[in-house]
Amino acid sequence: MKIRSVKLREAHAAKGGGASFCSVLWDQKAQHLVTASSSDLSICIHDPLFPSLSPKTLRHHRDGVTALALSPNSTCLASGSLDHSVKLYKFPGGEFETNITRFTLPIRSLSFNKSGSMLAAAGDDEGIKLINTVDGSIARVLKGHRGSVTGLAFDPNGEYLASLDSTGTVILWELHSGRIVHNLKGIAPDTGVDVSTMNVLCWSPDGETLAVPGLRNDVVMYDRDTAEKLFSLRGDHIQPICFLCWSPNGKYIATSGLDKQVLIWDVNRKQDIDRQKFDERVCCMAWKPVENALAVMDVVGKYGIWENVIPSSMKSPTEDIPAQYKSNGVLLFDEEDPENSVSGSLSDIGENSNEESEPPSRKRWRKQSFSEENLGEDGEEIALYPKVDSHKKRNRSSKENLDSGNMGFRSTMATTKAKMQAAFQPGSTPVQPGKRRFLCYNMLGCITSIEHDGYSHIEIDFHDTGSTPRVPSMTDHFGFTMAALNEYGSVFANPCKGENNMSTLMYRPFGSWANNSEWSMRFEGEEVKVVALGAAWVAAVTSFNYLRIFSEGGLQRHVISLDGPVVTASGYKDKLAVVTHASDCLSSNDQMLEFRVFDVPHGTQPLRGRLPLSPGSSLSWFGFSEEGQLCSYDSKGVLRSYTSQFDGSWIPFFSAMKEKKPDENYWVTGLNASKLFCVVCKKPDDFPQVTPKPILTLLSLSFPLASSDLGSEAHENEFMMNSLHLFEIRRRMDEMASVGLDITSLDDDAFNLEAAQDKCILRLIASCCNSDKLVRATELVKLLSLEKSMRGAIKLVTALKLPNLAERFSSILEERLLDEAKKTAETNIKENYAPITANALHRGSKAPTPPETLNAVTMSSSPNLSAPLFKKIEKTQEGAKDGINKTTMVNETLQVRQKGDETSNKVVKQTRQPHDPSTKLSNKNGLNKSETSLGQSNRPSNPFLKSTIK
């Protein structure tokens, strides 16, 4: 075999001539090569086309750089160091971004997931941090290793994270839950205290196979789902393997050993096809993404590029890359090459054995002198390997049944699993290095925080400084990342941190009779995800899917198990609303969320159901309006409110699609009955900065109505909004009346809203008449609540010269009057019959019978009009008079009404209540006022006095 030499050049000088762990990696387009060394503070960015030029140098660490990672789209560079910090840089410019996290011991390994949204970091303190690169928050801390974690690798399919420690233990973690799926102890070499040698592991590009250094100077392949050993690659390595990496297409793998050799393997054939001997141990390698080359770096800081690694007679390492696995940070597919399916290159096992031949000088066959033990093991490998082959081919055969034109798309969909939305705190903004952020922003005030020298400075500000207490600022040594605020106090929480993996919850009341009313709770291994506040209670939802409820003084009251991971939570007085995942996301990327509303003081759950979202969207804000209505706002800009209509439904009453400009985003802070409060952010910003102080914008709520043929969308929207508010007011009145509470204020609100609704309906009737929509106008007139409004509608259509419609309106009015007369008669009978009978028996006289009373009452030809939907409850309650006197008064009143309008008005004065709110409005319209009441009766909803009709 012909041995080629690879020329190396120094990038980092080794301290004292000793060995150190060095890193090398390519960017996505192979335009830059990045190197680092644990004996050097600097990171070097080289131009591979001009290696003689001085590299760009980044010096931000205080000690040697032990780990590098580049996001899939090559825009973000991460570095870990012996100084315990993990830093982020812009790439390829190299501008420093932030210290995204710190550990208590040196960092040993970094890895980005396929989308670049998450960074895994680990080192000598045995814990693995999963960091959201969007906001810098710690999504999860994984504990399970008993040695320094030296290898990390995200499953390309996004399900698992594989980790390897210095004792040779491999753990597969489920990213969704953070639990350990497989724990394979002692399957890799124990590297001991040699920090220049690190155990590493690597997923194949298709994500089906995990490659791990074996105990017999080999590479062992494990199945992604079962973690069973599939086969091993054993060749001329005479010492343990210390580094390995797959080629971009997954057909080859490069391994480096402590014997200073680098071997190139054909995975399909399970044999090494080339090798290279070096002067020093090669501790890191990286395949070039676009050409047939391999970058190598040794333990003394020298790097080089091994050109033409794969013989020209064989497939290039960048040929036939499955399109969805190309390292660009997004999923791709190529419709012209349907063979690039999910199964990847390992499904082509054995395909090249008969199609391609190698020159004798290039071939390197495995040694034939095996021991009995080796033969037995090889026999086992041969038996195991066809199972994998058949599994892959089964996937391939099923895909061949699909239409070839859609093969690439279907393959992509089969492997793309929608990501479940992470937990968030309503009204919070992401971490921004060196800038203050919102921990909470609502209709009452805001809580802001800024990190400085390892601790944070927290301030609480209220919008109305005149009526709220002044709260002093706070120094935060816990690293709080979430908070909630109400008029009684504030609550803070942080993710798990420290050696004991502790999460802290702290409550600070704004006023108390006790000197020390502040309290805190700690959770070991359990992370607080969301917090909420209400009247005399504090709530926290944790990573164990526990809802923990505390009293205002810190008494632990309730611990409730939720059905899924929490998304968010919000509190309002006695009510606590929690949103959780109901199931995994659908194939259409739609989130499946569920909401639950708890009545904390009473220990009940009045509401529970699915939370609707726009297709393909996520939840952006969740909370209560100022009136206590439960509302949600999604990423597509749709605001919904929960109503008891139709036994509980979510109604969309705002859509940003019709409001905002193309370059704007709305950041919601709260709402009331008619307005949405938000901060308008210019794209690409999705959230506001703390300084300058955000300016709130008030947007009118409006239903996403269809374009009407009337051209009166504003009036139609007003009509629907008034109907919704009237329904809710009536429901609350019924609830309050059932428990004996005063409903006077709600009664007045309903009165005002009815009057406004009638005006809106009259405008719509005019629009219908002008558009010749007479049937619709007839439907509208039936919804009028007041007699005066119906007479106004008759005058309106008469003025528009629509006599037929005016006649129809008059008929509707007469029918309404007759119906009301019957209802009034029935009400009077129920109220008068029983008292009259009792008094008559007491006096020894005969009581009138119900038919006699009914006949007397129905003699009136001019009964009053009442609203079809709403009856206003009496404000004053008077004692019942003698039954005989009541009957006499009713009969006298009905007889007087027959004499004419003038006498009728006098009688009406004697039958109306003195405190009726309609009296004030009646004076303005020249109508008579009521002064007395006939016993205790329900007043019709008409707030105006109704004249009689002859």
Side-chain angles (χ1 to χ4, degrees):
M1 183 192 71
K2 181 179 178 182
I3 301 294
R4 296 172 295 169
S5 61
V6 178
K7 183 179 179 180
L8 304 181
R9 63 176 63 243
E10 184 178 279
H12 305 272
K15 292 182 180 179
S20 58
F21 184 80
C22 302
S23 306
V24 62
L25 53 82
W26 293 95
D27 68 348
Q28 178 187 357
K29 298 180 180 180
Q31 296 176 350
H32 303 88
L33 192 67
V34 187
T35 62
S37 171
S38 60
S39 63
D40 191 357
L41 309 180
S42 61
I43 301 170
C44 295
I45 302 177
H46 306 267
D47 187 341
L49 296 179
F50 303 97
S52 59
L53 296 179
S54 299
K56 181 183 295 184
T57 304
L58 311 180
R59 291 187 177 91
H60 294 277
H61 283 288
R62 299 178 181 178
D63 209 335
V65 180
T66 54
L68 293 176
L70 195 58
S71 62
N73 59 3
S74 297
T75 60
C76 180
L77 175 67
S79 64
S81 169
L82 295 174
D83 63 9
H84 312 171
S85 69
V86 178
K87 301 180 185 295
L88 295 183
Y89 312 85
K90 290 183 179 179
F91 193 85
E95 296 86 355
F96 174 73
E97 284 282 302
T98 182
N99 290 311
I100 196 165
T101 191
R102 289 187 64 84
F103 283 70
T104 56
L105 293 172
I107 314 297
R108 299 297 177 187
S109 183
L110 298 173
S111 179
F112 279 100
N113 66 349
K114 196 65 180 177
S115 65
S117 62
M118 184 173 290
L119 175 68
D124 291 348
D125 64 359
E126 304 175 0
I128 303 171
K129 288 185 180 180
L130 301 182
I131 308 166
N132 290 321
T133 57
V134 177
D135 58 5
S137 62
I138 307 297
R140 199 180 295 276
V141 179
L142 308 177
K143 291 282 189 176
H145 283 285
R146 294 295 179 265
S148 299
V149 181
T150 58
L152 294 172
F154 278 100
D155 161 30
N157 296 329
E159 283 188 68
Y160 305 122
L161 172 71
S163 58
L164 174 59
D165 62 30
S166 58
T167 66
T169 297
V170 174
I171 297 181
L172 262 65
W173 311 83
E174 186 180 56
L175 291 174
H176 168 62
S177 63
R179 67 182 181 91
I180 296 177
V181 181
H182 300 289
N183 192 342
L184 309 178
K185 296 182 179 180
I187 65 171
D190 188 336
T191 59
V193 296
D194 185 4
V195 294
S196 66
T197 302
M198 298 214 189
N199 274 337
V200 295
L201 72 175
C202 191
W203 290 97
S204 59
D206 63 1
E208 296 294 334
T209 309
L210 180 66
V212 181
L215 299 175
R216 299 181 178 180
N217 308 334
D218 57 353
V219 179
V220 184
M221 305 294 181
Y222 294 89
D223 182 79
R224 65 170 271 115
D225 296 318
T226 65
E228 295 179 354
K229 178 182 175 183
L230 301 177
F231 60 95
S232 64
L233 303 177
R234 183 180 303 168
D236 286 347
H237 280 301
I238 57 177
Q239 292 187 44
I241 292 174
C242 60
F243 197 89
L244 54 88
C245 57
W246 291 85
S247 65
N249 60 4
K251 294 185 178 296
Y252 311 103
I253 194 169
T255 61
S256 171
L258 299 180
D259 55 7
K260 303 179 182 180
Q261 289 189 103
V262 173
L263 270 62
I264 308 298
W265 302 81
D266 186 327
V267 179
N268 294 347
R269 299 179 181 180
K270 295 192 296 181
Q271 69 181 40
D272 50 338
I273 56 175
D274 208 346
R275 69 173 178 176
Q276 182 72 238
K277 185 75 173 180
F278 292 87
D279 297 332
E280 298 290 344
R281 185 170 69 247
V282 173
C283 58
C284 191
M285 298 177 291
W287 289 88
K288 196 171 185 179
V290 295
E291 295 178 11
N292 181 13
L294 179 73
V296 298
M297 193 164 190
D298 62 22
V299 294
V300 296
K302 294 182 179 180
Y303 80 100
I305 300 176
W306 182 355
E307 302 285 353
N308 300 320
V309 184
I310 305 301
S312 58
S313 58
M314 301 178 68
K315 282 189 176 181
S316 168
T318 59
E319 184 180 352
D320 292 340
I321 300 176
Q324 63 268 34
Y325 298 115
K326 288 186 178 180
S327 180
N328 57 0
V330 295
L331 294 173
L332 299 175
F333 60 90
D334 187 356
E335 294 185 354
E336 297 180 359
D337 187 9
E339 291 300 315
N340 292 337
S341 62
V342 179
S343 56
S345 59
L346 289 181
S347 61
D348 299 326
I349 294 172
E351 289 181 3
N352 296 331
S353 57
N354 297 325
E355 297 177 2
E356 297 175 355
S357 60
E358 303 176 35
S361 60
R362 291 291 184 191
K363 285 188 179 181
R364 291 181 35 85
W365 298 103
R366 195 184 297 254
K367 293 185 178 179
Q368 301 298 320
S369 57
F370 294 101
S371 62
E372 292 292 328
E373 181 180 357
N374 290 338
L375 285 172
E377 184 175 347
D378 287 347
E380 180 184 358
E381 292 170 2
I382 294 172
L384 283 170
Y385 193 71
K387 294 181 182 178
V388 182
D389 192 16
S390 62
H391 170 70
K392 302 295 182 181
K393 289 184 177 179
R394 185 165 59 251
N395 291 343
R396 171 69 64 85
S397 63
S398 65
K399 290 180 176 57
E400 289 175 353
N401 296 329
L402 300 174
D403 182 75
S404 60
N406 296 328
M407 177 66 77
F409 175 75
R410 291 176 181 252
S411 299
T412 304
M413 292 300 295
T415 58
T416 305
K417 194 169 184 178
K419 183 179 179 181
M420 296 174 68
Q421 182 176 358
F424 72 93
Q425 191 71 32
S428 64
T429 57
V431 175
Q432 301 176 80
K435 294 183 179 180
R436 187 173 290 275
R437 60 170 292 216
F438 288 111
L439 296 180
C440 171
Y441 194 112
N442 58 25
M443 300 289 283
L444 181 66
C446 63
I447 302 177
T448 60
S449 173
I450 186 172
E451 185 179 353
H452 179 70
D453 290 341
Y455 63 90
S456 298
H457 183 75
I458 293 179
E459 292 183 356
I460 300 177
D461 297 305
F462 294 97
H463 303 318
D464 184 3
T465 57
S467 60
T468 52
R470 181 175 178 84
V471 182
S473 59
M474 178 180 72
T475 300
D476 169 27
H477 296 282
F478 294 95
F480 293 130
T481 59
M482 64 198 83
L485 173 71
N486 67 5
E487 58 269 32
Y488 308 110
S490 56
V491 62
F492 304 87
N494 65 348
C496 290
K497 61 186 302 183
E499 296 180 359
N500 296 326
N501 201 25
M502 302 286 286
S503 185
T504 303
L505 176 74
M506 186 178 77
Y507 176 69
R508 298 184 70 197
F510 295 145
S512 175
W513 59 269
N515 292 330
N516 185 16
S517 55
E518 178 181 308
W519 55 265
S520 63
M521 299 284 171
R522 294 195 176 187
F523 311 97
E524 185 171 357
E526 182 181 1
E527 186 170 73
V528 177
K529 292 294 186 181
V530 177
V531 294
L533 276 179
W537 56 263
V538 178
V541 188
T542 70
S543 57
F544 288 176
N545 297 342
Y546 289 164
L547 169 59
R548 297 182 176 271
I549 300 177
F550 307 85
S551 70
E552 190 176 20
L555 180 64
Q556 303 191 50
R557 294 297 308 275
H558 307 283
V559 180
I560 303 170
S561 285
L562 302 177
D563 295 340
V566 67
V567 178
T568 191
S570 182
Y572 176 82
K573 295 183 179 179
D574 293 343
K575 293 185 288 187
L576 167 63
V578 180
V579 179
T580 60
H581 286 282
S583 65
D584 288 336
C585 300
L586 300 179
S587 58
S588 58
N589 291 339
D590 290 336
Q591 303 284 331
M592 301 298 292
L593 305 183
E594 180 184 55
F595 76 97
R596 299 169 70 176
V597 177
F598 301 90
D599 189 328
V600 177
H602 298 92
T604 60
Q605 180 181 286
L607 296 176
R608 180 173 182 173
R610 289 293 178 88
L611 182 68
L613 295 174
S614 302
S617 69
S618 59
L619 187 62
S620 298
W621 181 87
F622 184 77
F624 293 90
S625 69
E626 287 189 335
E627 295 76 22
Q629 287 294 111
L630 188 61
C631 303
S632 69
Y633 184 80
D634 63 32
S635 58
K636 293 294 182 67
V638 177
L639 180 70
R640 296 175 176 87
S641 176
Y642 184 85
T643 175
S644 54
Q645 282 184 324
F646 305 105
D647 291 331
S649 302
W650 287 88
I651 295 180
F653 53 78
F654 179 82
S655 177
M657 299 288 291
K658 293 186 176 182
E659 297 286 340
K660 69 180 182 180
K661 299 178 182 178
D663 61 339
E664 291 180 347
N665 289 318
Y666 291 156
W667 191 72
V668 174
T669 62
L671 70 155
N672 59 20
S674 60
K675 298 290 183 181
L676 174 67
F677 293 75
C678 65
V679 178
V680 179
C681 303
K682 297 293 184 180
K683 289 185 178 180
D685 294 335
D686 294 324
F687 53 87
Q689 303 295 327
V690 176
T691 53
K693 187 176 181 179
I695 300 175
L696 285 180
T697 300
L698 276 65
L699 302 173
S700 297
L701 301 180
S702 60
F703 288 89
L705 301 179
S707 297
S708 173
D709 51 6
L710 293 180
S712 301
E713 290 186 21
H715 294 151
E716 287 181 300
N717 181 78
E718 181 185 357
F719 166 73
M720 291 187 62
M721 196 68 69
N722 289 340
S723 299
L724 177 62
H725 292 161
L726 266 175
F727 181 88
E728 291 299 329
I729 290 176
R730 292 166 187 161
R731 180 187 61 81
R732 279 183 282 174
M733 288 178 66
D734 292 340
E735 291 177 353
M736 294 174 65
S738 64
V739 295
L741 298 177
D742 182 27
I743 59 172
T744 304
S745 61
L746 288 179
D747 202 8
D748 291 339
D749 292 341
F751 160 71
N752 295 329
L753 198 52
E754 275 188 318
Q757 180 74 321
D758 275 12
K759 292 180 181 178
C760 178
I761 292 175
L762 288 174
R763 295 190 187 99
L764 285 174
I765 291 174
S767 298
C768 290
C769 294
N770 293 328
S771 302
D772 199 25
K773 306 296 181 183
L774 304 186
V775 174
R776 199 177 307 174
T778 306
E779 293 172 344
L780 285 167
V781 79
K782 294 178 181 179
L783 300 177
L784 290 170
S785 300
L786 313 177
E787 178 186 354
K788 179 183 177 181
S789 300
M790 294 194 72
R791 296 191 181 281
I794 295 173
K795 292 180 181 179
L796 173 65
V797 296
T798 302
L800 294 175
K801 299 181 180 180
L802 296 171
N804 293 335
L805 190 60
E807 183 178 353
R808 183 172 292 274
F809 283 7
S810 298
S811 300
I812 293 172
L813 177 59
E814 291 176 3
E815 291 176 4
R816 288 269 296 277
L817 292 172
L818 290 175
D819 290 341
E820 185 59 32
K822 293 180 181 179
K823 293 179 182 178
T824 304
E826 293 173 358
T827 302
N828 289 336
I829 290 171
K830 291 178 182 178
E831 293 178 355
N832 298 332
Y833 178 63
I836 291 172
T837 303
N839 291 330
L841 290 175
H842 179 71
R843 297 178 182 179
S845 61
K846 184 179 178 181
T849 60
E852 293 174 354
T853 308
L854 179 61
N855 292 333
V857 173
T858 54
M859 289 173 58
S860 172
S861 62
S862 304
N864 288 339
L865 173 67
S866 177
L869 298 177
F870 177 72
K871 288 190 175 183
K872 188 172 183 181
I873 308 300
E874 271 190 307
K875 292 184 178 180
T876 61
Q877 303 291 336
E878 299 180 1
K881 296 184 179 180
D882 184 83
I884 296 177
N885 293 334
K886 287 184 179 180
T887 306
T888 303
M889 291 176 66
V890 171
N891 291 332
E892 291 177 355
T893 302
L894 296 176
Q895 292 173 3
V896 172
R897 283 184 177 179
Q898 296 176 357
K899 297 180 180 180
D901 291 342
E902 182 179 354
T903 306
S904 176
N905 290 336
K906 295 180 181 179
V907 174
V908 170
K909 288 185 178 181
Q910 298 178 2
T911 59
R912 298 299 292 172
Q913 299 180 43
H915 299 291
D916 194 333
S918 65
T919 305
K920 300 178 182 179
L921 194 56
S922 299
N923 291 334
K924 296 179 182 180
N925 294 282
L927 299 176
N928 295 326
K929 297 183 291 182
S930 62
E931 296 179 355
T932 61
S933 175
L934 288 177
Q936 184 177 357
S937 61
N938 288 333
R939 188 187 66 77
S941 66
N942 185 1
F944 299 100
L945 184 63
K946 311 173 186 66
S947 60
T948 57
I949 302 175
K950 293 182 181 180

